[in-house]
Amino acid sequence: MAGTVDDLTLTKSGGTLVEHVMAAIRHRIASRSLAPGGKLPSIRALAQTMQVSKSTVVEAYERLAAEGVIRSRPGSGFFSAAALAPLSLAEIAPRLDRAVDPFWVSRQSLEARREVLKPGCGWLPGAWMPEDEIRRALRGLARTKDPTGLTDYGTPLGLAPLRAFLSRRLAEQGVEAAPDGILLADSGTQAIDLVGRLLLQPGDTVLVDDPCYFNFLALLRAHQVTVVGVPFTPTGPDLSLFEQALAAHKPRLYITNSGLHNPTGAALSAVTAHRLLKLAEQYGLVVVEDDIFADFEHDPAPRLAALDGFERVVRIGSFSKTLSASFRCGYIAARPDWIDKLTDLRIAAGFSSHRLSEELVLAVLGSSGYRRHLDALRTRLAKSMASVVPRLQALGVTPWTEPKAGMFVWCRLPDDLDAAAVARHALNENVVLAPGNVFSAAQSARSFMRFNVAQCADERVFRELERAMRLAARG
Amino acid sequence: MAGTVDDLTLTKSGGTLVEHVMAAIRHRIASRSLAPGGKLPSIRALAQTMQVSKSTVVEAYERLAAEGVIRSRPGSGFFSAAALAPLSLAEIAPRLDRAVDPFWVSRQSLEARREVLKPGCGWLPGAWMPEDEIRRALRGLARTKDPTGLTDYGTPLGLAPLRAFLSRRLAEQGVEAAPDGILLADSGTQAIDLVGRLLLQPGDTVLVDDPCYFNFLALLRAHQVTVVGVPFTPTGPDLSLFEQALAAHKPRLYITNSGLHNPTGAALSAVTAHRLLKLAEQYGLVVVEDDIFADFEHDPAPRLAALDGFERVVRIGSFSKTLSASFRCGYIAARPDWIDKLTDLRIAAGFSSHRLSEELVLAVLGSSGYRRHLDALRTRLAKSMASVVPRLQALGVTPWTEPKAGMFVWCRLPDDLDAAAVARHALNENVVLAPGNVFSAAQSARSFMRFNVAQCADERVFRELERAMRLAARG
C-alpha cells in the first residue's frame, strides 16, 4: 500500500498529497464545477486523474467527510454536502451557499418564498400585471368554439393571427417584418437561444455590453463561446472599444437590449445605432437586438432592426415583462432563410410552440384594456423611479445614469463596497439584491448594483440595504 | 482576369472549375446545408473557400440562376430559389420540395391544413383529447384566488404540487423519484434537449434504435453528435449488436422510448431491459428513457428507471399525447446532481417554466374525468388498431410486429416499394404519410411506413395509399 508514503509526500505547493486532493475537491465545489449535492468522482477515477494512489483519495475523502464538506452515501459514493438535505417541497429557502455567478439573481429570485423581498429581480410585482384581462382571456378560451386551440400542437411558425398582429406592431416602430418572417418562441430567452444555436459554434466569440443582462452570460456559457464585454455608455456601447473588439476578436454575434438597456436603463442614441451598424457591416457581425422592454418606453429609442431591415439584425421580443410571465411567448424576426432554419431547430429542440399561450397572449394584446394597462404601467413606473432614486441617494447609492424609462436603475455603492458581499448579507435577511458583477463578463462592476424600483415599495428594502452595506463595510 | 482560364481548367473530377462550383452549390442545397431560400456565400467568400477566381464563381452563380436553382436579389446577393415566394399567411400548403429527412413528417404534419389527412402524424385527433376537462381547468384558473399562477414566473424546478403528483405516479410504476428529483420542462422534447446539453459535446456518439422516433435524429443533429442506430427487435434493441456498438463507438448516451416504442409499438422485455442495463454499466453508458406513451399501455412494460434507480438512467415524460399538445409540459427525473445542473441550463436557455401550463396540466391530471378519459382512450385505440390493420393488410401492407398498445403500427410495404416515393405521391393528394427512412439513422427502412391508427378513420386514407403505391410502383 502506497497510502502512507503518499500521505507524507510533499507536493510542489508544499502540502501533502492528501491535502492536495482535498484542495482540488474544495476548489471544484467552490467553482461550481461540482454542483451542491453533486457526486464526486469515484476513488479509482480520481486516483487515476490526479496520479495518486487510491488510499490517498480515500484518506482525502474521509477527512473532507469529517469536515462536513462531502458526505458518503453507502453504495452510491461521495457527494458534495451542500444540498444533500432534501429541499423543502413547498418553496425553497435562500441558498446562501450559491456562488455569486450569472445564475445567482435568477435562482435566488425565482426560488424566493413570498415573504422575501426582491429589489434585485427583473420583473414587476404580480399585482402590476393585467390580471383582469388575463382572467377574461382564460374565460374566453374556455368557451372557444374551435377546440383545436385547446388540444392541438401549434403550427411550425406559431399562431398566424398573433404573427400578423406582431407584424403590424413592428411596422409602427418602423420595423418591416412580414408575418412569415416572424417565428414565435416559448420565451424571449428561448428565442435568443435558438439564434445562438443557429449561428454559433463552440469556441466562437460573442460581444455583449458590460454590464449586460446576466442571463446572456449564462446562456452564452451554455453555448461554450468566448464572451467579450464592451463597456457601455449612457448612449450605447463605447464605439471605439467596440471596433477594437471587432478587430481583435472577430466576433460572430453581438447581443444587446436595444430599446431599454438592462441593467442600466439607458437607451441607444441614433448616432450610436447608425455607427454600430456600419461597424457590424464592415466586420461581418450579426446583431441580436433583444427588445424585451419595448413596452416600457415613453419615447421610442432608435431600433437597429428599423435601420438595418434584417440584413444583419435579428430582432427578439417577448411579453413576460408587461403581460404575464406565467404563459410565455417570445418571437424572432429575422431574414427569411434564417427563420426557416430556426423553425427546424425549434422543432428539433421543442417540437411545437405553446399554442394555448399564444392564444392567450393574442387575446390580451388585442384587448382595449391592455393599452390602458401599459399607459398606467409607464406612469406608475415613472412615479416609483422618482421616489426610489432619492431614497437610494440618501444611502450614498448613486445612479450611474438617469434611466430613460422602465424598472431598472443601475447604481454605484458608496466607499467601493463589494456588492456581492452586500447581497449576501441582505439575502440572510430575505432580501434578494442584484450585485453588479453578475452583469459583467469582465467582473468590472464590483461596486455596482441594479435596483428594480417596482420592487422597492417595502421600507424594509432600504433598511436591509443599509444594514447589509454596514456589515459589508466591516468586511 | 483568370476567369476564362479557370473556366477551361479541368478539375480532378473531370469537369471545369465552373461546373465544380455549380456542383458544390447543388450539393449544399440537396443536403439542406443550404436551406430553401437560404443565402449563398458571397462571391468573394466562395472564391476564397474553393480557391478559384471570383469570375469563376460569378459564372457558376449566373448559370445556376439561369437554371432557376438560385436567384439574385439586387443588393442582397444570391439565394437558393426553393422558398423565395412568400409563404401564405393563413396556413401553409404542403411543401413538395422538402427533402424527406427527419423534419419531413413533423413539418408536413404541423403545417397541414385541416382538410389534409395525417395517418403519418404522431398524435391523436383533437376530438380524442379530454376537451371538457381542459375547459373546466381553464374556468377554474380564471377564478383562482391566487393570481400568482396567472402572472408570475414559475419556480426553477417547476410547480411543486405537480412534481409531487408525478412523484406519486412514478412510484406506482416502481420508479422512485422524490419531487425535488423531478424538473419540469416545457415539453418532453425540451427535456431531452436539456439532457443532451448537459451530457453531450459535439462529436460525441449517441446510440438510438433503428428505427427510432425521427425527432431524436433531428435533435441529435442539432447537437452535432454522431448517431449510431442499433437494430430494434420486437422485445427491444438487438443486444449483441448493441454491445458491438458500445465496444466500437464508446457512445455517451442511448436514447429510447421505453414503454411503447415509436415507431414500432413494441415494448422492452424484462430480460432485454435487465441485460441492457448491465451493458450500460459495463460501458459507462447513460440511458435516456423517453416514456411519453406510458399512458397508452394496458400492461406496463418494464421500465429502465425502475430497475436502475437513476444510477445511469434519465427518465423523460410528457402529457402532449394524452392530455393536450396545446399547453405543454414535460419532465425529467434523474440524479439530484444532474437535476441541479439541468435547472441552471433551463434558466440559461429559457429562464423559467411555463407556470400556467403546469397549473392546467395539474388540474386536468388530478380530475376524476382524466382517468376515465385514459380508459376510454385505450379501448378506442385498441378498436382502431383492430380495424385498421386488416385494411392495411388487404393492400399488402404488413405489420412488422403486433403493437402492444398505442396508436402506431410499423408496416412493410409490398414489393419493396420506396416509402418516400409513396409519401410524396400521397402528399400531392393531401395525405401526410410517415416513410420509414425518416426513422432510420442508417436509412435501413426504405420500404417501411408508420401508420397512426387513430388518424385512419377516413376511407380516403386507404384509397390514396393504394393510389400512391400504384404510382410509386410505376416509378
Side-chain angles (χ1 to χ4, degrees):
Chain A
M1 296 285 289
T4 47
V5 178
D6 267 4
D7 190 20
L8 296 175
T9 311
L10 288 179
T11 62
K12 278 185 210 156
S13 54
T16 65
L17 280 178
V18 169
E19 284 162 357
H20 184 56
V21 172
M22 290 171 73
I25 296 298
R26 278 204 195 89
H27 177 73
R28 287 194 197 187
I29 292 171
S31 69
R32 284 174 64 88
S33 83
L34 185 67
K39 189 172 183 180
L40 273 74
S42 75
I43 286 161
R44 193 175 52 185
L46 192 66
Q48 206 160 29
T49 316
M50 296 196 67
Q51 294 282 304
V52 297
S53 75
K54 282 193 262 179
S55 55
T56 298
V57 178
V58 169
E59 172 78 14
Y61 277 15
E62 281 177 356
R63 284 204 215 162
L64 287 168
E67 287 177 22
V69 175
I70 66 173
R71 292 191 200 172
S72 143
R73 273 195 214 147
S76 309
F78 288 85
F79 294 81
S80 143
L84 264 188
L87 302 173
S88 81
L89 174 61
E91 280 169 299
I92 293 166
R95 294 258 302 270
L96 294 166
D97 60 330
R98 185 171 283 285
V100 179
D101 65 7
F103 290 106
W104 198 87
V105 178
S106 19
R107 290 199 65 161
Q108 301 291 7
S109 310
L110 291 171
E111 284 169 0
R113 297 182 312 275
R114 263 172 226 205
E115 67 270 26
V116 174
L117 299 175
K118 302 190 286 280
C121 86
W123 54 87
L124 298 177
W128 291 42
M129 300 302 250
E131 193 185 312
D132 292 343
E133 280 71 27
I134 293 170
R135 291 184 193 271
R136 195 170 301 128
L138 284 166
R139 287 195 301 269
L141 210 52
R143 32 166 217 268
T144 179
K145 289 203 178 94
D146 175 11
T148 55
L150 307 178
T151 56
D152 288 14
Y153 284 108
T155 52
L157 287 175
L159 198 67
L162 179 53
R163 288 185 286 111
F165 185 97
L166 290 174
S167 172
R168 290 193 300 274
R169 284 242 321 215
L170 288 170
E172 289 166 23
Q173 298 167 26
V175 178
E176 297 275 348
D180 292 316
I182 298 173
L183 171 67
L184 300 184
D186 294 341
S187 63
T189 308
Q190 192 210 30
I192 299 171
D193 185 45
L194 286 171
V195 172
R197 291 175 91 149
L198 177 66
L199 299 177
L200 297 176
Q201 287 290 330
D204 280 354
T205 297
V206 175
L207 295 192
V208 294
D209 301 316
D210 193 343
C212 71
Y213 171 40
F214 49 76
N215 209 50
F216 291 166
L217 302 174
L219 179 65
L220 292 170
R221 186 191 284 185
H223 283 272
Q224 305 180 51
V225 295
T226 304
V227 175
V228 173
V230 177
F232 203 73
T233 81
T235 56
D238 179 314
L239 286 178
S240 79
L241 295 173
F242 195 84
E243 181 163 16
Q244 278 178 34
L246 289 173
H249 301 289
K250 309 264 179 292
R252 178 85 177 103
L253 286 187
Y254 164 55
I255 303 186
T256 188
N257 294 117
S258 56
L260 284 169
H261 184 252
N262 182 1
T264 66
L268 269 182
S269 72
V271 175
T272 307
H274 182 65
R275 288 196 188 148
L276 195 155
L277 282 174
K278 284 215 306 202
L279 287 172
E281 192 178 351
Q282 190 180 335
Y283 287 91
L285 179 77
V286 173
V287 180
V288 179
E289 172 175 66
D290 177 14
D291 206 3
I292 185 166
F293 302 108
D295 281 343
F296 289 133
E297 281 182 309
H298 298 289
D299 306 304
R303 290 302 194 277
L304 297 169
L307 296 172
D308 173 77
F310 298 117
E311 191 64 29
R312 54 184 62 259
V313 172
V314 176
R315 159 67 166 257
I316 307 291
S318 140
F319 308 95
S320 301
K321 300 303 177 188
T322 48
L323 198 161
S324 171
S326 174
F327 49 98
R328 304 179 66 204
C329 179
Y331 67 86
I332 308 172
R335 287 163 39 174
D337 56 327
W338 287 358
I339 290 292
D340 195 55
K341 287 184 190 166
L342 289 165
T343 306
D344 272 0
L345 265 176
R346 197 161 71 86
I347 289 175
F351 199 65
S352 154
S353 65
H354 282 56
R355 181 164 180 162
L356 188 118
S357 299
E358 293 166 5
E359 300 268 9
L360 289 172
V361 165
L362 178 63
V364 177
L365 280 182
S367 70
S368 59
Y370 187 67
R371 289 243 173 213
R372 283 197 303 275
H373 157 73
L374 287 186
D375 286 340
L377 208 55
R378 286 188 279 255
T379 307
R380 195 170 180 182
L381 276 169
K383 276 189 193 159
S384 298
M385 189 65 78
S387 76
V388 167
V389 168
R391 299 292 308 271
L392 293 171
Q393 284 170 319
L395 300 175
V397 176
T398 330
W400 173 80
T401 186
E402 190 190 329
K404 300 276 184 266
M407 57 183 138
F408 299 133
V409 55
W410 177 243
C411 297
R412 183 189 286 278
L413 301 184
D415 307 321
D416 291 325
L417 280 175
D418 177 3
V422 174
R424 284 187 181 285
H425 286 299
L427 192 60
N428 262 327
E429 303 297 327
N430 287 323
V431 176
V432 175
L433 294 172
N437 273 346
V438 307
F439 302 89
S440 171
Q443 301 290 288
S444 66
R446 183 178 172 277
S447 289
F448 281 84
M449 210 166 244
R450 184 190 75 182
F451 291 91
N452 176 345
V453 297
Q455 300 276 4
C456 290
D458 193 313
E459 275 302 309
R460 203 153 66 77
V461 166
F462 303 99
R463 210 162 58 230
E464 294 300 343
L465 174 62
E466 185 174 18
R467 197 193 56 87
M469 289 199 297
R470 209 166 49 234
L471 289 170
R474 275 193 229 142
Chain B
M1 295 287 291
T4 48
V5 178
D6 267 6
D7 190 20
L8 297 174
T9 311
L10 289 178
T11 62
K12 278 187 209 153
S13 54
T16 65
L17 279 179
V18 170
E19 283 162 0
H20 183 55
V21 172
M22 290 171 72
I25 296 298
R26 278 205 196 90
H27 176 74
R28 287 194 197 184
I29 292 171
S31 68
R32 283 174 67 87
S33 84
L34 185 68
K39 189 172 185 180
L40 272 74
S42 75
I43 285 160
R44 193 176 54 188
L46 191 66
Q48 205 160 30
T49 316
M50 297 195 68
Q51 294 281 303
V52 297
S53 75
K54 280 193 261 177
S55 55
T56 299
V57 177
V58 169
E59 171 78 15
Y61 277 15
E62 281 177 356
R63 283 204 214 162
L64 287 168
E67 288 178 20
V69 175
I70 66 174
R71 291 190 201 173
S72 143
R73 274 197 213 145
S76 309
F78 288 86
F79 295 78
S80 142
L84 266 188
L87 302 173
S88 81
L89 170 63
E91 279 169 301
I92 292 166
R95 292 257 304 270
L96 294 166
D97 62 330
R98 183 172 284 286
V100 179
D101 66 6
F103 290 105
W104 198 86
V105 178
S106 18
R107 289 199 67 163
Q108 301 291 6
S109 311
L110 292 170
E111 285 168 0
R113 298 181 310 276
R114 264 174 224 202
E115 66 270 27
V116 174
L117 299 175
K118 302 190 286 278
C121 88
W123 54 87
L124 299 177
W128 291 43
M129 300 302 250
E131 193 185 311
D132 292 343
E133 281 72 27
I134 294 169
R135 290 185 193 270
R136 196 170 299 128
L138 284 167
R139 287 195 301 269
L141 210 52
R143 30 166 218 270
T144 180
K145 288 201 179 97
D146 175 11
T148 55
L150 307 179
T151 55
D152 287 14
Y153 284 109
T155 53
L157 287 175
L159 198 67
L162 179 53
R163 289 185 286 110
F165 185 97
L166 290 174
S167 172
R168 291 194 299 274
R169 284 244 319 219
L170 287 170
E172 288 167 22
Q173 300 167 24
V175 178
E176 299 275 348
D180 292 316
I182 298 172
L183 171 66
L184 300 185
D186 293 341
S187 64
T189 308
Q190 192 210 31
I192 299 172
D193 184 44
L194 286 170
V195 172
R197 291 176 92 148
L198 177 66
L199 298 177
L200 296 176
Q201 287 291 330
D204 280 355
T205 297
V206 175
L207 296 191
V208 295
D209 302 315
D210 192 342
C212 72
Y213 172 40
F214 50 76
N215 209 49
F216 290 166
L217 302 174
L219 179 66
L220 293 169
R221 187 190 284 185
H223 282 271
Q224 305 181 50
V225 296
T226 303
V227 175
V228 174
V230 176
F232 203 72
T233 80
T235 56
D238 178 314
L239 287 179
S240 78
L241 296 175
F242 195 84
E243 182 164 16
Q244 278 178 33
L246 289 173
H249 302 288
K250 308 264 180 292
R252 178 85 177 101
L253 287 186
Y254 164 55
I255 303 186
T256 188
N257 293 117
S258 57
L260 284 170
H261 183 253
N262 182 1
T264 66
L268 268 184
S269 71
V271 174
T272 307
H274 182 65
R275 288 197 189 147
L276 195 155
L277 283 174
K278 284 215 308 204
L279 287 173
E281 192 178 350
Q282 189 180 336
Y283 287 91
L285 179 78
V286 173
V287 180
V288 178
E289 172 174 67
D290 176 13
D291 207 4
I292 186 168
F293 302 107
D295 281 342
F296 289 133
E297 282 183 309
H298 298 289
D299 306 304
R303 289 301 192 279
L304 297 168
L307 297 171
D308 173 76
F310 298 116
E311 190 63 30
R312 54 184 60 258
V313 172
V314 176
R315 160 66 166 256
I316 306 292
S318 142
F319 308 95
S320 301
K321 301 302 177 187
T322 48
L323 199 161
S324 171
S326 173
F327 49 98
R328 303 181 66 203
C329 178
Y331 68 85
I332 309 171
R335 287 163 38 175
D337 56 328
W338 287 357
I339 290 291
D340 196 54
K341 288 183 189 167
L342 288 165
T343 306
D344 273 359
L345 265 176
R346 196 160 72 86
I347 290 174
F351 199 65
S352 154
S353 64
H354 282 56
R355 181 163 178 163
L356 188 117
S357 299
E358 293 166 4
E359 301 268 9
L360 288 172
V361 165
L362 178 64
V364 177
L365 280 181
S367 70
S368 58
Y370 188 66
R371 289 244 172 213
R372 284 197 302 276
H373 158 72
L374 287 185
D375 287 339
L377 208 55
R378 286 188 279 255
T379 306
R380 195 170 180 182
L381 276 169
K383 276 189 192 157
S384 298
M385 189 66 78
S387 75
V388 168
V389 168
R391 298 293 308 272
L392 294 171
Q393 284 171 319
L395 299 175
V397 176
T398 331
W400 174 79
T401 186
E402 189 190 331
K404 301 275 186 266
M407 57 182 137
F408 298 133
V409 55
W410 177 243
C411 297
R412 183 190 286 278
L413 302 184
D415 308 321
D416 290 325
L417 281 175
D418 177 3
V422 174
R424 284 188 182 283
H425 287 299
L427 192 59
N428 263 326
E429 303 296 326
N430 287 322
V431 176
V432 175
L433 295 171
N437 273 347
V438 307
F439 303 89
S440 171
Q443 301 290 287
S444 67
R446 184 178 172 277
S447 289
F448 281 83
M449 209 166 244
R450 184 190 75 181
F451 291 91
N452 176 345
V453 298
Q455 299 276 5
C456 291
D458 192 312
E459 275 304 306
R460 203 154 65 78
V461 167
F462 303 100
R463 209 163 58 228
E464 294 301 343
L465 174 62
E466 187 175 17
R467 196 192 57 86
M469 290 199 299
R470 210 167 48 232
L471 289 171
R474 275 194 229 143

